[in-house]
Amino acid sequence: MNAASHIWAGEETETPWRFRLQEMAWRDLVDALKHDDLPFVGLWCDGTDVHALFLPDGQPLAATLALEDGRYPALSPARDISCLYERRIYDLYGAEGMWATDVRPLLDHDVWSSSTPLAEHPGAGGGQKGLIHFQPAEHMPQEGDMADGWGPATGGMEPPLHVALAMQEGRIRAAETVTGYAHRGMELRWRNSRVEDACKLSARVAAGQSVAHQVAFCLAVEDACKEQVGPEIRLLRVALLELERICHHLFLLADMARLAGARLVASGCMGLREKLLQEAAPITGSRLLMDVCVPGGLSLRHATQMGDMCGRLCEVAERDYPALLALWQEYPGLSMQLAGIGKVTADLLERVGLDGPTARAAGWDCDGRRMMPGYEGIWRFTSGRQDGTAEDRAMLLLEEVGESLRMLDEVASRIGLTAGGSVQLSMQDSEGTGMVEGPWGGILYWVRLKEGRVEQVFARNPSSAALLTFEAILPGHQPDDVALLARSLDINAAALDQ
Amino acid sequence: MGLIRAVFDAAFKQDMRRMKPVGPRWPLLLFHVDTGGCGGCGMELQALRYAPYDMEGAGFGFVTSPRNADVLLITGALTRAMAPVLEAAWQAMPTPKGLIAVGSCALDGGMFPENYTVLGGLERRVSIDLKIPGCPPAPQDVLNGLCSLFGKQAVPPKEAETSAV
Ligand code: SF4
């Protein structure tokens, strides 16, 4: 029996793709997963049940298990990435994953005003005063190691994260990250919120991926309401998603170039990004594309000018993009420096389940746009560098900027003067999912609606898998490379901690 | 969190005799701490480092250690985990020193008001020398705000040269 069959054999629920399992069946599922590559999306808790979501053939399939004495069999023995979800569930609800591979705190470092804040009866606060202490992982300080660290306040512009380093002979022997500094309690804020407010929260899970979060949230709400937006709204959303991808990639490339000492290249990337933003912001209403989508439609300042805007963005980029590409490739030492660091192997990607540009630059054919409504006849498969180094990722991002510009050009002619309109949603008590290929990989929302409000949200983004990848590739590098490697994997504490 | 005593020392204030000269030769040095937001304000600060925003020309620069900073520049909603980090950065700064809050989160929590993990901004907790609201404020708004500290006007971006490559 394969893993999916174990789920289908469970008891049907009000949601056609979610099945309730008994504990023994759940354990069988975990065992089956050890020998089955069923794509795992995530694990979350609602205080009574835990839910595990999978994506066979791109379609949602979820298993639900009632907590027994606040415990459940963990999935981490079968899926490494699940340990981050299990640690999160323990910190927020106090629910314990039995046989979990890692049980250290993830978010709660004894500084919160209450422990297990989302449990029915939250506990007392930790009472830790001063800088947080954390329990090192088993492989951390060993005899002969020098301790070093990076963050959470580096003076840089990235959200806060700490990386503890165990050094030997000037190189990193082992590394572990300490997260939770940017935890804002999104689960609690989403709970019982109005859908419009919940959408605004989604827009602020992680700047730079705001549209992707908004669209995935809106798709999930629309799915729960059994509605679909029309082709015009879909196209306008595609335009926003591609604009966000271009800006995200240019921002990341600029930071990589700056950290690699290529200031001129960094200026080129940021200069092009700024030109695009100056064209786009007056039309969309937001430079970072916050609050541009609402369930059932869009919320743009001048929706009818979006087609024109896409055309103008392509004209602007037509002048600068080829020169930027050439500058990156020819800038002395830049490619060589990046080619020597941050290699991500196919084995590692498979182990942590990371998708998006990191996986594509390591030779994986994975792009959610292939199946996303709205991209028909616009997205096309392209193949580029496949060695998985920081240089391969940079080149892939540059190529993707070019591809996204081409898509904007395509969209411009199709959009015309349409404002998209909107779909009236009738809220019913139900669940839905929505998935989008964000700038750094798949973003998936599961939303449960109740009495016209959002009852609960689970948001999957690539940051968890990126974090495990980051920890795995750090050994062997020099401590000065940490910031550059973090950027080349787009480690984003805001998205991770939520 | 121990209360940060943010008092922008007279040495920086306009019309004071000990006023620190400002301009490219004596830049006002900023140490940025993201205390837990969505990262959007940090992205807009990053944009300030590049054309067409002439931040350095206007007399400001970012530093990577609080020991070299004149001003602590804060974004994000101030999580309970970041409060002691912020305090430590403040203590490490030499005097005179000042405190600037950028973005709604840093001011009053914005979209992230107080809860079990977030203190919800600085406004009710410390005295802030300069408040720049917005979610996020555009780079030009941040630059205008910084320049207003010294009664100067920032160069609008259209007049500054945009050089993409
Ligand atoms: S003020 Fe807005 S943009 Fe800035 S960090 Fe907070 S949520 Fe993000």
Side-chain angles (χ1 to χ4, degrees):
Chain A
M1 217 168 155
N2 65 17
S5 309
H6 282 288
I7 302 177
W8 282 315
E11 184 191 331
E12 286 183 12
T13 67
E14 62 282 7
T15 306
W17 40 263
R18 187 164 63 78
F19 298 84
R20 182 170 288 281
L21 270 54
Q22 298 304 315
E23 186 174 327
M24 286 317 289
W26 181 280
R27 286 191 197 192
D28 290 343
L29 168 65
V30 178
D31 280 339
L33 284 170
K34 290 176 184 165
H35 317 285
D36 191 319
D37 59 3
L38 183 66
F40 173 59
V41 176
L43 180 78
W44 70 96
C45 181
D46 58 19
T48 312
D49 296 324
V50 280
H51 310 276
L53 181 62
F54 300 87
L55 219 53
D57 304 319
Q59 298 304 315
L61 176 65
T64 294
L65 173 72
L67 293 172
E68 202 161 309
D69 294 332
R71 303 198 299 179
Y72 64 96
L75 291 184
S76 52
R79 291 287 183 277
D80 277 11
I81 188 75
S82 186
C83 75
L84 293 177
Y85 297 116
E86 289 155 12
R87 292 165 68 188
R88 184 178 189 95
I89 289 171
Y90 185 79
D91 286 354
L92 295 177
Y93 291 92
E96 195 181 324
M98 293 182 283
W99 306 291
T101 54
D102 191 347
V103 293
R104 290 171 303 142
L106 183 75
L107 303 172
D108 180 7
H109 302 286
D110 284 341
V111 291
W112 292 353
S113 60
S114 56
S115 61
T116 62
L118 272 64
E120 200 184 344
H121 304 290
Q128 161 73 21
K129 299 269 181 274
L131 298 173
I132 62 174
H133 296 294
F134 57 94
Q135 184 187 336
E138 276 170 21
H139 65 284
M140 281 308 281
Q142 287 181 0
E143 225 178 288
D145 281 347
M146 291 265 295
D148 203 345
W150 181 78
T154 63
M157 304 310 166
E158 69 284 341
L161 171 81
H162 177 68
V163 186
L165 304 170
M167 307 286 304
Q168 266 183 18
E169 294 170 8
R171 292 202 173 252
I172 299 167
R173 183 193 61 75
E176 71 169 316
T177 52
V178 180
T179 56
Y181 293 100
H183 177 62
R184 288 147 279 155
M186 294 300 256
E187 281 96 330
L188 186 60
R189 296 181 195 278
W190 269 315
R191 213 186 246 184
N192 298 324
S193 59
R194 298 187 322 132
V195 279
E196 299 78 13
D197 297 336
C199 190
K200 287 189 173 171
L201 282 170
S202 302
R204 288 164 181 80
V205 170
Q209 303 175 17
S210 179
V211 179
H213 278 268
Q214 292 170 63
V215 174
F217 173 82
C218 291
L219 289 173
V221 171
E222 289 151 13
D223 183 40
C225 297
K226 300 184 180 49
E227 291 280 2
Q228 284 194 349
V229 295
E232 292 88 4
I233 296 180
R234 269 190 223 147
L235 262 185
L236 286 165
R237 286 180 178 175
V238 166
L240 291 167
L241 285 164
E242 292 312 311
L243 172 58
E244 177 171 76
R245 195 178 321 277
I246 293 167
C247 293
H248 169 275
H249 286 6
L250 289 171
F251 188 88
L252 204 63
L253 285 161
D255 234 14
M256 286 170 71
R258 179 180 64 86
L259 290 163
R263 176 91 200 170
L264 183 70
V265 183
S267 300
C269 297
M270 288 300 271
L272 175 54
R273 176 179 178 272
E274 198 59 38
K275 281 184 179 181
L276 299 175
L277 289 183
Q278 287 185 4
E279 283 289 344
I283 311 299
T284 61
S286 166
R287 280 172 53 92
L288 298 188
L289 300 170
M290 305 256 178
D291 309 327
V292 291
C293 283
V294 288
L298 294 151
S299 167
L300 294 161
R301 189 179 287 164
H302 301 294
T304 52
Q305 295 178 33
M306 281 289 287
D308 261 6
M309 180 199 82
C310 290
R312 283 202 308 281
L313 294 178
C314 295
E315 280 167 27
V316 168
E318 208 176 323
R319 292 193 296 270
D320 292 346
Y321 173 70
L324 179 62
L325 195 58
L327 179 65
W328 187 288
Q329 286 164 332
E330 287 159 17
Y331 197 83
L334 177 60
S335 295
M336 220 162 68
Q337 186 180 348
L338 294 177
I341 58 169
K343 187 169 170 71
V344 174
T345 61
D347 281 356
L348 175 59
L349 287 169
E350 194 164 336
R351 183 161 67 75
V352 302
L354 180 58
D355 54 352
T358 309
R360 293 198 283 274
W364 275 33
D365 172 14
C366 58
D367 195 324
R369 288 174 289 181
R370 186 193 300 270
M371 290 167 60
M372 241 185 96
Y375 278 98
E376 304 88 354
I378 296 175
W379 178 84
R380 65 179 186 190
F381 174 76
T382 52
S383 108
R385 307 278 290 266
Q386 308 197 338
D387 275 352
T389 66
E391 161 70 353
D392 293 299
R393 290 193 283 284
M395 290 316 298
L396 181 104
L397 294 183
L398 275 165
E399 282 157 23
E400 288 196 359
V401 168
E403 267 303 289
S404 294
L405 285 165
R406 184 195 58 75
M407 283 188 241
L408 280 187
D409 200 25
E410 185 79 32
V411 169
S413 56
R414 296 190 191 190
I415 293 180
L417 293 175
T418 182
S422 65
V423 172
Q424 201 61 38
L425 299 177
S426 76
M427 300 283 172
Q428 38 195 297
D429 294 359
S430 57
E431 296 167 22
T433 57
M435 194 168 64
V436 160
E437 180 69 22
W440 207 249
I443 291 178
L444 185 144
Y445 271 68
W446 167 88
V447 172
R448 183 189 277 160
L449 302 176
K450 194 170 178 199
E451 293 168 7
R453 288 186 165 244
V454 172
E455 189 184 39
Q456 205 191 354
V457 170
F458 166 74
R460 182 270 179 196
N461 67 64
S463 60
S464 306
L467 189 79
L468 292 188
T469 308
F470 179 53
E471 285 183 345
I473 65 163
L474 277 173
H477 287 92
Q478 296 185 349
D480 289 351
D481 291 332
V482 172
L484 180 51
L485 288 169
R487 292 318 279 145
S488 91
L489 290 171
D490 196 16
I491 299 302
N492 189 328
L496 194 75
D497 292 346
Q498 291 186 26
Chain B
M1 175 191 181
L3 277 196
I4 288 178
R5 293 273 322 126
V7 181
F8 216 35
D9 193 275
F12 289 120
K13 287 198 173 144
Q14 219 191 340
D15 301 330
M16 298 282 183
R17 272 198 298 168
R18 283 174 56 231
M19 183 177 151
K20 176 178 171 168
V22 285
R25 287 177 59 205
W26 299 278
L28 190 68
L29 299 176
L30 316 168
F31 183 74
H32 170 243
V33 181
D34 180 336
T35 59
C38 76
C41 287
M43 287 179 76
E44 293 298 47
L45 291 178
Q46 185 76 312
L48 260 188
R49 291 177 140 165
Y50 298 93
Y53 309 104
D54 191 10
M55 184 182 167
E56 271 139 27
F60 302 93
F62 286 109
V63 289
T64 54
S65 164
R67 290 189 190 86
N68 305 328
D70 302 311
V71 173
L72 195 54
L73 191 153
I74 296 158
T75 60
L78 189 58
T79 60
R80 293 174 200 269
M82 279 306 286
V85 178
L86 192 63
E87 179 76 26
W90 177 258
Q91 297 303 343
M93 287 167 65
T95 48
K97 53 189 167 185
L99 187 72
I100 297 177
V102 173
S104 329
C105 275
L107 289 174
D108 60 7
M111 293 289 288
F112 307 115
E114 184 168 353
N115 70 2
Y116 66 91
T117 175
V118 164
L119 289 165
L122 290 159
E123 217 164 42
R124 286 181 296 121
R125 297 174 189 276
V126 297
S127 70
I128 304 171
D129 299 297
L130 177 66
K131 301 175 186 181
I132 304 177
C135 183
Q140 190 61 39
D141 298 336
V142 179
L143 194 54
N144 290 346
L146 291 174
C147 288
S148 74
L149 275 175
F150 302 103
K152 293 202 313 176
Q153 289 228 312
V155 182
K158 280 195 193 106
E159 291 169 30
E161 197 169 307
T162 310
S163 74
V165 178

